[in-house]
Each structure stands twice: as C-alpha cells, then as structure tokens.
Amino acid sequence: GTGKTTVARRMGMLFEALGVLPSSEVVQVSASDLVTGYVGQAARKTRDVFESARGAVLFIDEAYRLYDPTGRSYFQEAVDEIVTILTEEDFKNKMVVVFAGYAGEMQILLDKVNPGLKSRVSEVVDFPNFDHVDAAEIAAGLLEGKRLDVSRVPRDLLAAEARRLVAAPQWANGRDVEAWCRRVAVECATRGDAAVSLDAISAAADFIIAQKAPAAAVQPPVVDLDLSSLFLAEDAVAAPPSVELDVQTNADQNDDGGDSGGAGPLEDYDGALEEAATALGYGASPEKRQAFADAVASGNAPDDVVARVLKTRGGDPAAVASGLAPQISAFQKALRVSIDVRKRARDDDDDSAADPDSDELTEDEVLSRLRDLGPCPMGFAWHREGAGWRCGGGSHYVFDDDPILQG
C-alpha cells in the first residue's frame, strides 16, 4: 500500500518518454508465476515471462517468495535463470526489472539465494510507511475524486483522525486509506449529504479500526442435556452405553503426570531429516549417501543431523531425536533403492535394446535421460515407482510422460 506498483507504472511512462524503452507497458507478475512445481521447468517458464516483458517494465511482486527456506529447487532454479537472463545481450539494457516486496524479506532474498542477483540489482528504493499527514492528504484527494465536499473538515482534524488509523494494528498505508474513504462515502450516503462532516470521517475511522481489532475467542456454549429420557421408551431393549466412565478414566490418565502433562505444542519436524542430510552434503555423492545409510542403520539420526535440525527447527535434543525417528525407516529404504539403482544403471546399460520402430521410450531410455538431467535437486538418484520415477530422497517425482523426459 505504499505505491510501489504505481511508481513502476510511472517509471514505464518516464522511460518511454526518454526513449530508454520502446513501450510504457508494465508486465506485472508474482513469484509464483515464475515456477511450475516440476523440476527443470521453472527456468523455461521464467524465460518466457522475461520474453513477454522485453522492451517494457517487468514488475515482480512479492519477489521475496523466490527465497524458499524449505529448499524447493524450482524457486532456486527461477532465480538462477533470472541472473543468467539479466546478463544476456538479448535482454541487457532492453528492459527494466523491478523486484518488489517487504524490506526485510527482500534483503534475505538478495543475500541468500544467489550472490549474482544482488550485484545485478542496480538500485534499491525504500518506500517508507505513510504518516498521518500523508494519509490525510491522500484521503482528501480520494474523497474529492468521489465528488464529496471535504471543505467543511479542517485538514488538521482530518489528520487527527488519520493518526488513529496509522496507530491501529496492521497499518496498510494506501489500502487502508482507500478503505477509509469508501466507508466515508457510505456514511455520507447514510446521512444523505454529499458534504463530508467530521462525524462521517470519525465514524468511518471507527469502522476500519474495529475491523482490524483481533476477534475475541468465541467459547462454545455449555449445554447440559439429559438424554436418559430417550431410552425410557417401552420398546427399549438396552440401556444407553456409559460414556462418563471412559471420559473420567482418560482424564485420570492425563492427570497422572505422564508425558501429556502440558509439554506445550510439538515442534514440526516433518521433512527435517532429508533437509538436514542435504544441507550437510550427504546427498553429494554415492559414497556420502552410503555413509549416511550406515549412520542411520541403528535407527537413530546422526549427531550432526540432530544438531542441524536443532539449529533450523528449534526444540530440544530429545524432541528432535523423537521427531526424526519415524522418518528414518522410509529414508533408509529410499537410500537403499538409490544406491541399487545407481549400481544397476552402471552394470545393466546393455541389458536390453530399444525397439527402433516404437515411439514409446523404454525404461532404459527414460533412465538414460534422467541420468543426463542429473540427480534430483537434493542430490539423489531416481528409481522406478508406479507410473514414474521418484528420487532417492523421496521428495521429487517425475511421470513417464512428463515433457522433460519425452523431449
């Protein structure tokens, strides 16, 4: 709500007027428009987006989402392609690219994703939050645009009401001012007066602030129902089952000082084993994958993996070990399959020959193309699963008819 998109449009008009760009068009996309969710396709889609904006301004909103802390490779793939495109002669000095987002998250994007991206961002423009004076000026202009007379409200009183909005939770700058002005128009219509009064201004501000207030927790009503009468009919053949005894028993168990006694919410360690193993380089080579398989053979995560998860996910060592334990079995199986597949790929390249008249790729041809593409982004080899291929780490899957294999 600070005017980033508006400024980008003005930049397009300015650069066209100066002859820097042939068009004032602004192509607006978000980070999600650059990725597909499939390995190997994000770069192609990113390049298509840049092609569509050549000669114009490309505005990438919420660009900080291109940094994915969970390590999904297609976001990294999109950023790497952007860095490449920005240095190619076909694009260099032929378009303006604007990365927009919150300051803190954008700094993380520039610092962590690809070192080359930061060096290719020539200017950083900070858009500070509007203060109450700015908000009052914008509101006056918007209300006049709605053909409402604001002359009866002194500007200092309008700014005083704007100060209340600025101090409210989750101040959204221009978006909140627009919502405020729309509500002022409603208040004026309710009063049947096109001249804006201080009462209408204040009532509209009250409405917007009330919408921002956190909703009070609603407690479900306690209903005391006597259901015994439902079982007193003459044709009843059995007494209702007793629920009270079971509930009381569970309550007694919970009060008995066991593990459920108020330990607080459990940490989320889903996928943490693969994430830590990848970060520590266990997927970098067959030898390291074998070393990791040996390390988890006991059913416990290695100490360096536990330490890594403690650093990235938090918690205590016992909780981390407990959270990782259920993941080890599936991970061991994936590692064994990965190691076996690589061995078969080396030993059985000549086992079967493809039918030269067949359009359908044989399994060996698919596996050969997968080997040409390389391991999955986590460093694991591919193995057959169902109607496609899954990586040894278990996170990535490619169908047999995926264009990346057929092409």
Side-chain angles (χ1 to χ4, degrees):
T2 52
K4 297 185 293 295
T5 307
T6 301
V7 170
R9 294 194 182 101
R10 297 295 187 272
M11 289 173 62
M13 297 169 62
L14 174 63
F15 289 141
E16 182 192 32
L18 293 174
V20 176
L21 293 176
S23 169
S24 63
E25 180 188 4
V26 176
V27 178
Q28 183 172 350
V29 299
S30 66
S32 58
D33 294 322
L34 304 179
V35 298
T36 64
Y38 292 94
V39 178
Q41 296 183 5
R44 186 185 312 165
K45 188 170 184 181
T46 299
R47 184 169 288 272
D48 290 342
V49 170
F50 272 73
E51 286 281 2
S52 70
R54 186 157 49 176
V57 175
L58 176 60
F59 183 83
I60 305 176
D61 201 9
E62 298 179 342
Y64 53 84
R65 290 168 51 198
L66 291 170
Y67 168 63
D68 184 6
T70 64
R72 287 177 290 184
S73 64
Y74 31 84
F75 285 98
Q76 180 70 51
E77 187 181 337
V79 175
D80 293 344
E81 186 69 10
I82 289 173
V83 172
T84 301
I85 290 173
L86 292 178
T87 58
E88 292 181 1
E89 290 300 323
D90 288 343
F91 294 91
K92 191 175 180 180
N93 298 325
K94 295 180 175 65
M95 64 187 302
V96 175
V97 182
V98 180
F99 301 94
Y102 299 113
E105 287 84 348
M106 291 299 295
Q107 193 60 50
I108 293 174
L109 170 70
L110 295 176
D111 290 341
K112 292 190 174 183
V113 177
N114 186 315
L117 180 62
K118 189 172 185 177
S119 64
R120 287 164 176 78
V121 176
S122 58
E123 297 290 340
V124 176
V125 181
D126 183 45
F127 288 76
N129 289 325
F130 297 151
D131 61 18
H132 63 286
V133 177
D134 297 327
E137 289 293 331
I138 295 171
L142 291 175
L143 291 172
E144 289 173 357
K146 295 178 182 293
R147 298 185 179 180
L148 295 174
D149 181 10
V150 293
S151 61
R152 294 196 310 187
V153 180
R155 198 54 56 91
D156 58 336
L157 295 181
L158 183 60
E161 292 297 327
R163 186 192 295 272
R164 296 170 53 209
L165 282 180
V166 173
Q170 301 175 351
W171 167 235
N173 296 289
R175 284 191 290 271
D176 277 356
V177 175
E178 288 181 346
W180 183 29
C181 292
R182 286 195 298 268
R183 188 62 195 182
V184 169
V186 172
E187 295 291 338
C188 290
T190 302
R191 291 166 171 76
D193 191 351
V196 179
S197 65
L198 183 58
D199 287 343
I201 293 284
S202 181
D206 290 339
F207 179 84
I208 301 299
I209 293 172
Q211 284 189 320
K212 287 175 168 289
V218 178
Q219 297 295 333
V222 178
V223 180
D224 185 14
L225 294 178
D226 182 9
L227 302 180
S228 60
S229 60
L230 298 178
F231 299 93
L232 297 181
E234 293 181 0
D235 57 349
V237 295
S242 174
V243 179
E244 182 178 356
L245 179 60
D246 293 336
V247 173
Q248 185 63 44
T249 300
N250 291 338
D252 291 341
Q253 291 173 352
N254 288 338
D255 292 336
D256 200 26
D259 293 339
S260 60
L266 296 176
E267 298 288 347
D268 179 14
Y269 297 115
D270 185 33
L273 182 64
E274 180 184 350
E275 178 184 310
T278 302
L280 293 170
Y282 281 116
S285 67
E287 293 76 15
K288 290 192 174 184
R289 281 191 286 275
Q290 183 62 59
F292 187 74
D294 296 338
V296 297
S298 63
N300 297 316
D303 292 341
D304 55 345
V305 171
V306 173
R308 174 74 184 185
V309 175
L310 278 172
K311 181 179 179 181
T312 58
R313 300 287 185 99
D316 59 76
V320 170
S322 177
L324 296 182
Q327 305 174 38
I328 290 177
S329 177
F331 208 73
Q332 285 177 310
K333 180 179 178 181
L335 283 171
R336 286 195 298 269
V337 172
S338 173
I339 294 169
D340 291 344
V341 167
R342 280 182 174 268
K343 185 175 184 302
R344 288 202 308 270
R346 289 194 300 267
D347 298 342
D348 299 337
D349 279 343
D350 300 327
D351 266 3
S352 60
D355 180 0
D357 298 326
S358 174
D359 293 333
E360 184 178 353
L361 295 176
T362 67
E363 185 166 313
D364 284 345
E365 287 175 325
V366 173
L367 189 57
S368 175
R369 294 196 178 186
L370 284 171
R371 285 202 303 272
D372 292 339
L373 291 173
C376 83
M378 295 298 185
F380 293 97
W382 302 93
H383 62 271
R384 165 67 72 182
E385 180 176 309
W389 299 80
R390 186 173 295 281
C391 73
S395 295
H396 304 96
Y397 190 86
V398 180
F399 287 97
D400 283 337
D401 58 353
D402 193 291
I404 196 173
L405 298 179
Q406 299 298 322

